Amino acid sequence: MKPSTPKGTRDFTPSQMRKRDYLFGVLREHFQTFGYAPIETPAMENLSTLTGKYGEEGDQLLFKVLNNGDFLAKADGVALEARDSKAALASLSKRGMRYDLTVPFARFVVQHQNELSFPFKRYAIQPVWRADRPQKGRYQEFYQCDADVVGSDSLLYEAELVRLFERVYTALGLKCVIRINHRGILAGLAESVGASDKFIEVVTAIDKLDKIGAERVGEELKGKGLTAQGATQLLEMLKDTSLKSWEVSLANTKEGEQGAKELKQVLEMVAAMNPAQRIEFDPTLARGLSYYTGCIFEVVVDTTAPGQEKIRMGSIGGGGRYANLTEAFGGRDMSGVGISFGAERIYDVLEEMDAWPDTVRTGRKILLAAMDEENLAWAFAKTDQLRSAGIAADCYPEAGKPKRPMKYADKEQIPYVALIGTREREAEQLTVKELTTGQQETLDLSGLIIKLS
RNA sequence: GUGGUCGUAGCUCAGUUGGUUAGAGCGCCGGUUUGUGGUACCGGAGGUCGGGGGUUCGAAACCCCUCGUCCACCCCA
């Protein structure tokens, strides 16, 4: 049998893990600086927590966990006989794998509402699972990195999360563009072309604009029941990227006016903090997720920035404000706003740009190698002293010719090798070779610690 | 879930109309080198040709099924 991981999943090697740890570390650090506290929720949730939250399609993409024990004995015989998977499911599985971090978060907030103080700010970096058909950059197991705040409808948080986006991407060495819109603008737009009742359809159609073009979006809109005139007018209005003129054109729609007003405030706050950041109002930004109700964001790589011209990647982050997230779990009506970093995509971008810091390349800094058996214990003791000084040191486990440890250090990209023979032990000195330059010097332990610190 | 593409060594891939013992490059292991890795030269290991069934005197190649991959939809990160 050829060993392999299940479809849509992958292993991470040490060199990949060092990069992932770095990326998650930058995220964690910024989340905490911005006042978000970590939480974790289980890999499995009760199926009742998950089903119905992602729409019909989402339910199909849930990984279900088979009940333990003699599950068939307790299964619904009628449904099994009829080969009706949907009907049989309830008696076969009561748990499912986490599909995203937002729904478990909503469950968490309601379940712990009496222990939490609001506004409650949390972040989470955890894998999620989807029974989707895998493609490049699309897996059945992948990590999500979310920061959310619930229990306040202050626009301060919209501005804060935009700042969090830019701070993180800047720390990673990436120039990005933050696109922003408001569901109210889209609602006002639908209202002004007489399609208020087709709001969801309008949103999902607009979401496809950059992908399939205005013409086909127009056709889709007409297919969904818009008048030809309404569809044309809608597409015409979307060409306008000036927030000022939207304020005017939507002044007679309640939601549209409110949306434009809120957007303006957020943009003003953000501009006051960092006028250099590219943040663009984009009325065509829709985001498919149905639960957004206020501002929505999406982050893309800035392809006008030096060194980033060739990057072709979809959004590397997104988010928005939602109302009533906790409603499904019987919580009181709480507004929230949150963002998500597309860690797997960011990884690919950093890989393409080779924008990793040097620290991800090396694990161990120095390898100590004894030439003969009687010096091995001394080499091991020196390794221990280096470790006590906080230096990632390792001792080659077999004494002998330098060839093996040298080759090992070369492959493992350990930058320094100390060869230890009787000469070194008797003089209490270490002969240290730097592999990239081939240069060699003799130092005592404290000198070596200073050199490698 | 729908349509398509491709599965040959650890990796990237050759393999003629179906015909002897299935190859290359890279990688891996060893040697040339008994206190010095990366280069060079020499040698070696490694394949039920994704799996199962069928057609045939004969299948890596043709047919069916199945699993996996990649791509386009759907949806999404």
Side-chain angles (χ1 to χ4, degrees), chain A residues 90-112:
Chain A
S91 65
L92 290 172
S93 167
K94 53 176 185 256
R95 289 162 300 179
M97 303 301 286
R98 187 203 295 136
Y99 179 89
D100 70 359
L101 301 180
T102 308
V103 167
F105 173 53
R107 190 222 82 223
F108 179 97
V109 168
V110 175
Q111 188 174 330
H112 299 277

Side-chain angles (χ1 to χ4, degrees), chain A residues 209-263:
Chain A
L209 252 180
D210 52 348
K211 209 170 186 178
I212 63 173
E215 200 169 311
R216 288 175 59 192
V217 169
E219 280 164 29
E220 184 167 329
L221 285 169
K222 278 178 251 172
K224 298 285 181 192
L226 263 75
T227 61
Q229 189 196 353
T232 314
Q233 189 191 346
L234 184 145
L235 288 168
E236 195 54 41
M237 287 176 78
L238 283 173
K239 287 181 186 161
D240 192 345
T241 58
S242 154
L243 184 54
K244 276 217 172 81
S245 58
W246 280 86
E247 279 180 86
V248 175
S249 56
L250 296 182
N252 56 345
T253 67
K254 191 172 168 254
E255 287 180 273
E257 189 194 8
Q258 177 74 11
K261 203 176 97 192
E262 290 189 12
L263 256 186

Side-chain angles (χ1 to χ4, degrees), chain A residues 136-320:
Chain A
K136 184 124 197 138
R138 200 163 144 180
Y139 306 96
Q140 294 201 338
E141 179 188 59
F142 63 96
Y143 273 74
Q144 288 197 331
C145 312
D146 285 15
D148 287 82
V149 48
V150 288
S152 166
D153 48 21
S154 168
L155 291 176
L156 227 62
Y157 289 117
E158 271 83 346
E160 171 174 298
L161 290 168
V162 166
R163 280 291 281 165
L164 179 53
F165 266 139
E166 48 170 300
R167 293 296 294 272
V168 165
Y169 289 115
T170 302
L172 292 170
L174 267 181
K175 286 255 181 271
C176 67
V177 181
I178 298 167
R179 298 161 65 206
I180 187 168
N181 194 12
H182 197 290
R183 274 292 164 90
I185 300 250
L186 295 170
L189 175 65
E191 187 183 335
S192 61
V193 299
S196 284
D197 55 326
K198 307 246 166 34
F199 179 60
I200 298 291
E201 288 81 359
V202 167
V203 167
T204 40
I206 291 174
D207 199 30
K208 295 177 189 164
L209 252 180
D210 52 348
K211 209 170 186 178
I212 63 173
E215 200 169 311
R216 288 175 59 192
V217 169
E219 280 164 29
E220 184 167 329
L221 285 169
K222 278 178 251 172
K224 298 285 181 192
L226 263 75
T227 61
Q229 189 196 353
T232 314
Q233 189 191 346
L234 184 145
L235 288 168
E236 195 54 41
M237 287 176 78
L238 283 173
K239 287 181 186 161
D240 192 345
T241 58
S242 154
L243 184 54
K244 276 217 172 81
S245 58
W246 280 86
E247 279 180 86
V248 175
S249 56
L250 296 182
N252 56 345
T253 67
K254 191 172 168 254
E255 287 180 273
E257 189 194 8
Q258 177 74 11
K261 203 176 97 192
E262 290 189 12
L263 256 186
K264 194 177 157 196
Q265 283 180 42
V266 171
L267 286 168
E268 275 168 6
M269 277 190 273
V270 171
M273 289 186 276
N274 181 8
Q277 172 61 36
R278 279 187 64 188
I279 170 159
E280 294 170 356
F281 164 59
D282 181 353
T284 70
L285 174 63
R287 290 190 71 76
L289 290 176
S290 53
Y291 53 72
Y292 290 121
T293 52
C295 280
I296 46 181
F297 324 105
E298 202 159 277
V299 187
V300 293
V301 172
D302 184 349
T303 50
T304 65
Q308 299 185 171
E309 298 88 346
K310 286 183 186 158
I311 308 287
R312 291 289 165 270
M313 182 64 75
S315 73
I316 53 173

